[in-house]
Amino acid sequence: RRGASLTDLAEKIGVEAASLVQVLFHLGEMVTATQSVADDTLEVLGAELDYNIEVVSPEDEDRELLESFDLEFGEDIGDEDDLEARPPVVTVMGHVDHGKTKLLDALRNSNVQAREAGGITQAIGAYQVETEVDGNERKITFIDTPGHEAFTAMRARGAKSTDIAVLVVAADDGVMPQTIEALNHAKAADVPIVVAVNKVDKDTADPTRVRGQLSEFGLVPEEYGGDTQFVDVSAITGQGLENLLESIVLTADAALDLRANPDMPAQGVAIEAHLDKGRGPVATVLVHRGTLRIGESIVAGSAHGRVRALINDQGQNVDEAPPSMPVQVLGLTSVPGAGDNVLVVDDDRMARQIADKREARMRAAQQAKASRRKTLDQLFEQ
Ligand code: GDP
Ligand code: MG
């Protein structure tokens, strides 16, 4: 395991930790028994002792854990014949003050369906908007937590929960450092980008300049012969919002094959979670595949439980959540982390076993970290 100490290794291969310390000392490395050891040092040590040591990453470790329960996360979205179209999941990114929050609010409020349902949309960390494209009603899911921190955190955990990035650039300010940062994150994640040129209501707006600037970073507007959709919008006046929704759908159709089998045990990602005074742990889950239903046993990171209630972005109780639909899930025993994977499993027992194993592992990793810090502190004291 990554970050393992000599004591851990000694236990695994049934030798005294002290002798491992000695072997390493002769190889020119000073390591204490409880200190966590670099991957390559462990491998060198293995070679010296005629052991084949493979250092396992936390991701691999979790994969192995799930495999031991005959589960697999993320890979299987269903057989070709069972796949059905699902809405794109969109994250809004961009430089501070360029209008991400305002735009997300404006899009949410422009949602006709939401207004008809009673107006007040819940802040659950994600919401769905409907738009008509070529005579068809199309849904789009927006993750309502702007900023690429969440995005990056989720990607780091191998949970790809964004299909398309909307890059917001204020037309009066132009491309700024965080614009480039956001753009690079999206590119690294291989997520197509739609550019929302915001604040075009302002006198000082220069949307043409934004197009020129971004072209230099490889985002060439369609009207210049490139393949990136640029849409002029104003989060204040509402101008261009319908065009933005349409561009998202068109980009999804052109660049992505967004399908999943809705008839299999649900899997998804927790995009937000907190402890509610009255309702207990509440997690907003974005379903990737399958359909999440009330009464099912789930494991979410190191939390587990049985789905007691599902609440949609309108604050309504629903019985199920199909792919790409964000729902609040009630019934977990603890609060999962943002980016944790969520899986429906056979029964409560299995859910608890997986959650407990993950919990134990997290605690061990934290202890290894703490003890490493302690040995370093001791070194500096001398
Ligand atoms: P964020 O930091 O990217 O989330 O930006 P905000 O949504 O908080 O917006 C920053 C400021 O720009 C606020 O004062 C908004 O009212 C203003 N703003 C956002 N969108 C527009 C727009 O389309 N037009 C104008 N004139 N102002 C906007
Ligand atoms: Mg904001």
Side-chain angles (χ1 to χ4, degrees):
R1 171 169 47 78
R2 188 171 287 166
S5 69
L6 292 183
T7 309
D8 297 334
L9 179 61
E11 244 170 58
K12 268 253 152 65
I13 61 180
V15 300
E16 291 287 322
S19 59
L20 294 182
V21 174
Q22 250 177 5
V23 172
L24 274 186
F25 182 80
H26 287 300
L27 292 170
E29 291 226 35
M30 298 253 264
V31 179
T32 64
T34 54
Q35 203 174 332
S36 86
V37 181
D39 295 359
D40 46 359
T41 304
L42 285 177
E43 276 158 14
V44 166
L45 190 56
E48 191 68 18
L49 300 172
D50 258 348
Y51 275 96
N52 184 18
I53 294 185
E54 264 178 60
V55 181
V56 181
S57 69
E59 294 79 26
D60 286 342
E61 210 177 17
D62 199 57
R63 192 168 305 132
E64 278 170 22
L65 170 63
L66 292 178
E67 265 170 23
S68 71
F69 288 91
D70 221 6
L71 293 165
E72 181 186 43
F73 178 76
E75 315 294 333
D76 186 8
I77 55 160
D79 293 333
E80 181 63 31
D81 290 344
D82 304 322
L83 299 182
E84 289 179 20
R86 65 167 178 85
V89 178
V90 178
T91 306
V92 172
M93 305 169 99
H95 195 74
V96 66
D97 280 346
H98 278 200
K100 298 178 292 293
T101 303
K102 260 276 180 308
L103 188 63
L104 280 163
D105 287 349
L107 288 167
R108 170 191 272 144
N109 294 332
S110 74
N111 189 356
V112 180
Q113 213 201 7
R115 278 204 304 269
E116 283 171 356
I120 315 148
T121 50
Q122 284 264 107
I124 71 166
Y127 60 86
Q128 280 190 324
V129 170
E130 272 198 9
T131 186
E132 201 185 291
V133 178
D134 296 334
N136 298 315
E137 278 302 324
R138 301 286 297 268
K139 284 194 173 103
I140 301 171
T141 303
F142 285 92
I143 296 188
D144 196 5
T145 43
H148 41 257
E149 292 87 0
F151 181 77
T152 312
M154 287 187 207
R155 199 161 59 83
R157 290 185 214 195
K160 192 179 166 190
S161 17
T162 300
D163 299 311
I164 292 179
V166 167
L167 183 62
V168 180
V169 188
D172 58 338
D173 210 16
V175 169
M176 297 298 275
Q178 285 169 35
T179 314
I180 306 303
E181 219 176 282
L183 188 158
N184 287 334
H185 277 299
K187 275 189 181 164
D190 203 18
V191 170
I193 298 170
V194 173
V195 181
V197 184
N198 192 30
K199 307 198 186 185
V200 293
D201 59 287
K202 285 190 148 185
D203 293 339
T204 48
D206 190 351
T208 308
R209 186 172 69 117
V210 174
R211 284 167 170 74
Q213 288 175 326
L214 283 178
S215 294
E216 286 174 30
F217 289 94
L219 292 185
V220 183
E222 277 196 333
E223 60 259 46
Y224 297 177
D227 55 10
T228 304
Q229 306 244 0
F230 280 64
V231 187
D232 291 346
V233 298
S234 167
I236 299 280
T237 68
Q239 178 193 332
L241 295 186
E242 277 304 321
N243 296 340
L244 178 60
L245 296 176
E246 188 183 7
S247 288
I248 291 167
V249 170
L250 294 177
T251 298
D253 289 350
L256 306 163
D257 179 25
L258 300 179
R259 297 184 297 164
N261 177 6
D263 299 318
M264 59 196 303
Q267 289 188 357
V269 161
I271 55 172
E272 185 273 342
H274 64 275
L275 188 63
D276 184 273
K277 261 196 190 141
R279 301 182 296 170
V282 178
T284 297
V285 174
L286 194 57
V287 176
H288 284 166
R289 69 144 217 222
T291 299
L292 183 62
R293 295 190 175 87
I294 290 178
E296 288 178 325
S297 301
I298 58 169
V299 55
S302 52
H304 66 98
R306 193 182 295 187
V307 180
R308 194 173 73 229
L310 294 170
I311 300 164
N312 70 9
D313 58 358
Q314 319 290 320
Q316 298 157 330
N317 281 283
V318 293
D319 293 330
E320 54 180 44
S324 292
M325 176 170 161
V327 272
Q328 280 192 326
V329 176
L330 274 58
L332 288 167
T333 50
S334 59
V335 181
D340 278 350
N341 57 32
V342 180
L343 297 94
V344 167
V345 298
D346 292 354
D347 50 39
D348 292 353
R349 205 174 105 89
M350 188 187 277
R352 178 158 32 83
Q353 283 175 335
I354 296 171
D356 287 352
K357 285 227 166 80
R358 284 173 168 171
E359 176 72 33
R361 200 168 278 167
M362 260 166 55
R363 224 173 307 132
Q366 270 159 8
Q367 268 165 11
K369 222 175 171 180
S371 73
R372 186 171 54 208
R373 203 172 302 130
K374 220 160 81 196
T375 43
L376 279 178
D377 286 348
Q378 283 163 354
L379 273 177
F380 286 116
E381 266 169 29
Q382 285 162 4

